[in-house]
Amino acid sequence: MSDIHFSRMVNNIQPGIFGALNEKKEERLKNGEKVYNLSVGTPDFPPAPHVMKAMQEACADPENYKYSLADLPELLQAVQYRYEKRFGVQLETDEIMSVYGSQEAMAHIGMVLCDPGDTILVPNPGYPMFEMSGIMAGARIEYYTIREENGYLPDLEGIPEEVLKRTRYMIVSYPLNPVCVCAPDEFYVRLIDFARKNHIVILHDNAYSDIIFTRKQGRSFLSFEGAKDVGVEFYSLSKSYNLTGARISFVVGNKEIVSKFRLLRSQIDYGIFYPVQLAAIAAMTGPDDFIEAQREQYAARNRALCGGLRSIGWNVPDSQGTMFVWAKIPDGFDSSMDFCLKLMEKTGVIVTPGSAFGSEGEGYVRMALVVDEDMIKEIIGVLDESGIFR
Ligand SMILES: Cc1ncc(COP(=O)(O)O)c(C=O)c1O
């Protein structure tokens, strides 16, 4: 049938810009040439053994294949325990709900907070799902520009009054994928004040709270006074616990938002698979020294990659956090995509063009810290030999 009607919403979704990169990658692999993939955001570290054991044992029990319908009380207690231990934040059980990953939660929460035509504020550059959250709810997207010279922080005072009046929520996330910076504590104090004054909900995506290089530990948005009055935090187990495929994260904070979001999701899903809930409990209540060891490894990779690139003539700043590095492309290339294609052609190294994260990402690339230090050294050698930075 050629006359199928598709919604404006789905027609608004831009296909990924990875097609051209993928084609070139396949070509190289077919020719037996090496590929170094620094474009993916999936950790190469395994989950902790006690987490996999909990999942395996739960999978052996046929009772665990039924609809779970709700979060186990032990799961909510595990989040309470983790938030208190890790962030010093006390949560009530009605301030916590599980989701199938922050990505899924972001996709649906717009329907709870916006009517079609309302406005949401998202960063440019920013993680692509942020704007999708509004698009899926039929909302209008306003971008707040974040630039290197301002530490990639929003200019809250510079957002026009007219935009503030129609804005329902603002998405904020530090350390931020893709720009890899953290926000100072005083920023969150100003943000909460701004949200209260303008009646704007804050959605804080805290996916990288355990991968920070400048300070030992990241904080929770909820650890700032008044945060629960104005918003919620997305707390993902994907990166801290290497559970990306298990699909479990949490929305925590303002209980009215949690309650309405639960209501919406009761129409969408029948609860998280029990073995995944049990693995999450094991993760959040079990030993957590591997998280610090892992952070050290990401930090060592960060130093090896950024320092190595600087030593061969590409002036890349150290990442402050996340599992990525954000770099301005060298002179002599038309665009970040042009640089990515030439880099792949000449060296087999795949990085993500900054333009995938919004117009303000043009001129930059993102590299994932998903290979070990030995491989990073090999990559630096290959790049140096190619002469691409000379
Ligand atoms: C900023 C950010 N938020 C959320 C996610 C997805 O998290 P989850 O696996 O919980 O959906 C990612 C994954 O790369 C991310 O970079």
Side-chain angles (χ1 to χ4, degrees):
M1 221 181 0
S2 59
D3 57 351
I4 300 171
H5 171 82
F6 291 105
S7 68
R8 252 175 302 208
M9 189 274 284
V10 82
N11 283 333
N12 240 336
I13 300 176
Q14 301 299 319
I17 62 172
F18 297 99
L21 279 173
N22 264 336
E23 250 174 53
K24 288 240 183 303
K25 181 176 103 183
E26 293 306 321
E27 216 177 280
R28 276 190 78 92
L29 289 173
K30 232 189 263 157
N31 295 339
E33 293 171 306
K34 205 153 182 185
V35 160
Y36 303 92
N37 195 352
L38 302 186
S39 69
V40 291
T42 308
D44 56 320
F45 297 115
H50 64 276
V51 177
M52 289 194 283
K53 184 162 175 269
M55 178 89 87
Q56 281 158 359
E57 283 174 5
C59 283
D61 182 349
E63 282 299 307
N64 285 338
Y65 289 78
K66 294 180 173 161
Y67 291 128
S68 67
L69 299 175
D71 293 330
L72 289 165
E74 294 82 357
L75 183 68
L76 299 177
Q77 284 157 17
V79 179
Q80 287 177 310
Y81 172 81
R82 188 66 195 154
Y83 255 69
E84 168 78 58
K85 182 175 179 206
R86 171 68 182 80
F87 300 118
V89 170
Q90 269 131 36
L91 293 171
E92 305 292 330
T93 49
D94 57 359
E95 294 172 330
I96 307 167
M97 64 183 287
S98 69
V99 288
Y100 293 109
S102 300
Q103 179 95 355
E104 178 269 316
M106 205 63 87
H108 290 126
I109 201 162
M111 297 177 204
V112 175
L113 296 169
C114 290
D115 288 310
D118 288 344
T119 294
I120 70 159
L121 273 167
V122 300
N124 179 9
Y127 184 60
M129 195 57 212
F130 295 164
E131 69 174 348
M132 278 310 301
S133 125
I135 290 172
M136 291 178 83
R140 227 165 122 173
I141 318 294
E142 292 278 351
Y143 299 93
Y144 59 90
T145 300
I146 47 173
R147 298 222 166 94
E148 200 173 340
E149 55 270 29
N150 302 324
Y152 289 109
L153 294 175
D155 172 16
L156 297 175
E157 289 72 35
I159 302 170
E161 194 61 40
E162 168 273 319
V163 171
L164 296 177
K165 276 201 188 115
R166 54 184 159 83
T167 297
R168 296 294 181 208
Y169 65 87
M170 176 176 184
I171 302 182
V172 176
S173 175
Y174 293 97
L176 177 60
N177 173 12
V179 299
C180 309
V181 299
C182 301
D185 291 352
E186 65 84 21
F187 166 72
Y188 285 103
V189 175
R190 283 198 296 121
L191 179 71
I192 291 164
D193 188 46
F194 162 87
R196 205 195 308 270
K197 278 192 188 130
N198 293 292
H199 308 284
I200 291 174
V201 166
I202 302 296
L203 306 182
H204 185 250
D205 184 1
N206 207 4
Y208 297 100
S209 57
D210 289 315
I211 316 178
I212 289 186
F213 311 128
T214 50
R215 292 177 288 192
K216 268 229 147 174
Q217 288 217 319
R219 287 183 68 170
S220 161
F221 165 63
L222 301 182
S223 65
F224 292 90
E225 204 184 321
K228 280 187 195 173
D229 297 335
V230 300
V232 288
E233 178 157 88
F234 291 66
Y235 175 61
S236 174
L237 300 198
S238 291
K239 307 296 160 84
S240 298
Y241 296 95
N242 306 317
L243 289 172
T244 48
R247 309 312 297 136
I248 183 159
S249 297
F250 298 89
V251 172
V252 292
N254 184 282
K255 61 177 72 170
E256 287 176 83
I257 298 175
V258 167
S259 161
K260 279 280 195 264
F261 199 16
R262 260 211 205 107
L263 180 66
L264 175 84
R265 295 186 82 265
S266 71
Q267 303 301 308
I268 296 172
D269 87 290
Y270 280 138
I272 304 266
F273 186 40
Y274 279 126
V276 173
Q277 293 202 37
L278 292 160
I281 294 167
M284 288 185 284
T285 57
D288 59 2
D289 42 339
F290 72 93
I291 295 180
E292 176 55 18
Q294 193 166 287
R295 192 191 67 82
E296 291 285 353
Q297 291 195 57
Y298 278 122
R301 292 173 178 190
N302 181 33
R303 286 191 297 271
L305 183 63
C306 300
L309 290 171
R310 287 194 293 268
S311 76
I312 60 166
W314 189 9
N315 192 15
V316 174
D318 284 350
S319 171
Q320 294 178 15
T322 75
M323 51 187 290
F324 305 103
V325 165
W326 183 240
K328 219 177 229 164
I329 60 172
D331 291 339
F333 296 91
D334 293 341
S335 64
S336 32
M337 192 60 172
D338 175 45
F339 172 69
C340 289
L341 289 171
K342 290 189 175 135
L343 187 74
M344 154 105 87
E345 247 167 50
K346 279 194 151 189
T347 67
V349 177
I350 313 178
V351 300
T352 307
S355 47
F357 304 99
S359 57
E360 292 290 328
E362 182 49 79
Y364 291 82
V365 288
R366 189 195 74 175
M367 295 171 265
L369 298 166
V370 290
V371 295
D372 64 23
E373 281 177 85
D374 285 344
M375 183 66 86
I376 289 175
K377 280 184 195 135
E378 186 177 324
I379 290 172
I380 301 292
V382 169
L383 292 175
D384 194 22
E385 244 169 59
S386 76
I388 196 162
F389 301 117
R390 288 195 284 272

